[in-house]
Amino acid sequence: MSAARRLLLWECAFLSGVALVQLLGTWVFFSVGIALLWRIFRRQWHAVLLCLLFVSGALRFFISNQAGTIIPAEAIPKTFDVFVDDVDHRVQEQRLTVHALQSRQDEVSNHSVRLLLSAGLYPEYAYGDMLRVQCKKLEVPKKDSYGKYLRLHGIDVLCRFPSVQILRRNTGNFVLASVFGIRELFVRRLQQLFPEPQAALAGGILLGAKQGIPHAVTLAFQRTGVSHILALSGYNITVVITSVFAVCLAIGVPRRKAFWLVLAGLLAFLLITGLSASVVRAAIMGTIVLLARHLGRRSTPLYALVFSATVMTLLNPYVLLDDVGFQLSFFATAGLFWIASWFKRRLTFVSTTLGLRDALSSTLGATTATLPLMLVRFGSISLVSPLTNVLVVPIVPLTMLLTAVGIVLPFVGTLIASFAWLAMTWILTATEILSRLPFAATTDVPLWVLLLLYVLAGMILLMRWCARQCILLSDD
């Protein structure tokens, strides 16, 4: 067995430990412990290592699960001195993620509690502010989908009906404050260049900043299956890598030196977007592929995909089963690698002009891989997703490029931004028209029917593969 396959097996053992202990509970430790002792007795050392990695994955989730602070849910007024970790600007409010420096009633352990609270639009808060917050009611997140979302982001307590007093400004880390400040400058520049909803759409496509996007636009994107262009994911990373590489080669930079410039561009993009989890995950995978090419080695998509999943799960074990974005990104990437090529070989009747065949095959590959997950998580499937993606996705890289240039260049930015406005208007118009179709999305497909179709398709492909192998053997 090669070293790469052995590493892949170890990563799968770790991920299995994280997933199974979350699904089945702590009795998994006992079962694996018995298997481990048996393997040691039989001196099967490779199996012993797999068991240990499985247990380490289970322990990683168990430790993270026990780290949360339990706070009484009684509606008791409490006052906290808090530090602002992040601010999410919404249309009608600001959502602050803070951690408590101390509880003035000393009922909560210091430096361990993260709270989520909503405040008015003014005064504006920022990372690094120290506040005094009085909560009329504290709530522990429930064990529903929203509770899982809060747990994924490390939120221990919901602070209801807060009153907020500013104690000090700009007390945070200088580097992180600069990152959030640059991102905020980009958002404000977009608001100067574009009217709404184009400004909000530009923020979503380029920075993942979804504040200000009207609910009707969000619903239209969901019904037409193009919500992924608003989420910072591997697609955005691919655009950044491809664009920087193309510019480097165009100005005569050698390919190996271009590698370091691409990494620098990728790091700058990560900082501007605020280091969101989805972009970090995609950046890990993109960096692995780039590094493999730089070293002259072949990069297998499966190895890069599983490695990025392992790193993200190691940092936050909840992403494996609770983060829908992580799961969609994982399956969509797998579909792009292994299913899209199958469609591309059979879509020879589709023109290659403007990359239509690539766009359609990529859309069908990603959609095929994510359909069961979409049905389980959201209960609906978009029937117009292939058409919408063909109409919209090919112009997204151009939109990102024109928007970025418009932000950076002070004098001709307005002129360039006008072309970006045209592209975003096309995106908004296409999604709105297609979302109004009565058959745009359906909830009438049972999950078992969909899975049965996948099983039948897999059996047909397997039978065809076996038939080809038999023909090859008979020819030999």
Side-chain angles (χ1 to χ4, degrees):
M1 183 183 294
S2 64
R5 291 188 176 183
R6 189 177 293 112
L7 178 61
L8 177 65
L9 195 59
W10 294 347
E11 292 166 351
C12 290
F14 176 82
L15 294 174
S16 299
V18 175
L20 288 179
V21 76
Q22 189 172 358
L23 291 172
L24 305 177
T26 54
W27 69 269
V28 171
F29 286 106
F30 178 74
S31 302
V32 176
I34 295 177
L36 180 61
L37 292 175
W38 175 251
R39 295 302 181 184
I40 293 175
F41 178 76
R42 298 289 298 272
R43 296 187 178 183
Q44 296 177 348
W45 302 117
H46 184 65
V48 170
L49 179 58
L50 291 178
C51 290
L52 290 176
L53 288 169
F54 182 93
V55 171
S56 66
L59 282 173
R60 176 67 186 92
F61 175 79
F62 183 76
I63 292 172
S64 179
N65 196 42
Q66 295 299 316
T69 304
I70 300 176
I71 295 185
E74 294 82 7
I76 303 175
K78 292 184 181 295
T79 303
F80 297 93
D81 287 349
V82 301
F83 179 91
V84 178
D85 295 322
D86 190 22
V87 181
D88 182 7
H89 296 277
R90 299 296 179 98
V91 177
Q92 297 180 344
E93 63 181 7
Q94 301 177 80
R95 293 188 180 181
L96 310 181
T97 301
V98 302
H99 70 264
L101 299 178
Q102 62 180 349
S103 170
R104 298 182 65 83
Q105 282 82 15
D106 293 327
E107 296 184 19
V108 180
S109 59
N110 296 343
H111 308 287
S112 60
V113 182
R114 297 193 76 204
L115 301 94
L116 179 66
L117 57 97
S118 299
L121 294 177
Y122 300 99
E124 293 188 356
Y125 303 103
Y127 165 81
D129 291 347
M130 289 185 63
L131 313 174
R132 180 159 294 164
V133 178
Q134 183 175 11
C135 305
K136 293 185 178 180
K137 185 177 181 181
L138 293 175
E139 292 183 2
V140 178
K142 300 177 181 179
K143 295 183 179 180
D144 53 8
S145 58
Y146 185 58
K148 291 181 179 179
Y149 170 83
L150 295 175
R151 183 177 64 175
L152 174 66
H153 292 83
I155 303 298
D156 300 308
V157 186
L158 294 174
C159 176
R160 301 294 190 186
F161 314 111
S163 59
V164 183
Q165 175 187 354
I166 299 175
L167 299 180
R168 293 175 61 188
R169 292 278 197 180
N170 303 321
T171 62
N173 180 276
F174 174 77
V175 176
L176 288 178
S178 301
V179 168
F180 289 117
I182 293 174
R183 187 173 187 267
E184 188 62 27
L185 286 176
F186 270 65
V187 172
R188 294 185 185 277
R189 176 64 173 160
L190 289 175
Q191 293 172 347
Q192 294 173 357
L193 288 174
F194 304 106
E196 295 294 349
Q198 281 82 1
L201 178 62
I205 291 177
L206 191 63
L207 304 175
K210 298 182 180 180
Q211 59 265 30
I213 299 181
H215 179 70
V217 174
T218 303
L219 184 61
F221 274 65
Q222 292 174 352
R223 284 180 56 83
T224 54
V226 291
S227 297
H228 57 86
I229 69 174
L230 298 178
L232 288 171
S233 60
Y235 182 80
N236 307 69
I237 293 296
T238 302
V239 171
V240 172
I241 291 176
T242 304
S243 301
V244 177
F245 231 118
V247 171
C248 291
L249 296 179
I251 62 178
V253 178
R255 186 173 295 270
R256 288 189 174 271
K257 290 184 178 180
F259 164 78
W260 298 106
L261 293 177
V262 170
L263 281 185
L266 192 57
L267 178 61
F269 183 72
L270 286 173
L271 294 178
I272 292 173
T273 55
L275 299 174
S276 68
S278 59
V279 176
V280 172
R281 176 176 64 250
I284 292 172
M285 184 172 180
T287 303
I288 294 171
V289 176
L290 276 177
L291 185 61
R293 293 181 179 177
H294 178 68
L295 298 176
R297 298 181 180 180
R298 185 179 173 218
S299 174
T300 304
L302 177 62
Y303 298 156
L305 189 62
V306 176
F307 182 79
S308 63
T310 303
V311 172
M312 294 302 297
T313 304
L314 186 63
L315 296 175
N316 186 352
Y318 292 113
V319 303
L320 192 60
L321 295 183
D322 292 344
D323 190 349
V324 180
F326 171 85
Q327 296 164 0
L328 288 174
S329 178
F330 185 92
F331 284 104
T333 305
L336 290 174
F337 281 132
W338 292 295
I339 304 178
S341 58
W342 184 87
F343 281 108
K344 187 175 181 179
R345 290 193 299 269
R346 285 154 180 80
L347 294 175
T348 54
F349 58 89
V350 179
S351 173
T352 57
T353 306
L354 299 177
L356 290 179
R357 185 186 301 174
D358 289 336
L360 181 57
S361 59
S362 299
T363 299
L364 292 174
T367 303
T368 303
T370 56
L371 271 181
L373 183 62
M374 292 285 288
L375 192 59
V376 170
R377 289 291 192 175
F378 306 112
S380 64
I381 297 176
S382 174
L383 301 181
V384 297
S385 175
L387 176 60
T388 313
N389 277 271
V390 168
L391 294 175
V392 167
V393 170
I395 67 172
V396 170
L398 179 63
T399 305
M400 293 178 65
L401 178 61
L402 292 175
T403 304
V405 174
I407 292 175
V408 174
L409 297 182
F411 301 107
V412 297
T414 304
L415 177 61
I416 296 175
S418 62
F419 294 100
W421 177 86
L422 289 174
M424 286 184 286
T425 302
W426 166 260
I427 294 174
L428 291 168
T429 304
T431 53
E432 181 182 0
I433 292 175
L434 291 175
S435 68
R436 291 180 178 178
L437 297 176
F439 55 85
T442 180
T443 59
D444 297 332
V445 182
L447 179 61
W448 68 269
V449 173
L450 189 62
L451 294 178
L452 179 60
L453 292 176
Y454 275 78
V455 171
L456 292 176
M459 292 176 62
I460 293 173
L461 293 176
L462 180 61
M463 292 172 62
R464 294 185 61 182
W465 180 84
C466 292
R468 286 196 301 267
Q469 296 300 314
C470 292
I471 293 174
L472 291 176
L473 290 175
S474 62
D475 291 341
D476 292 340

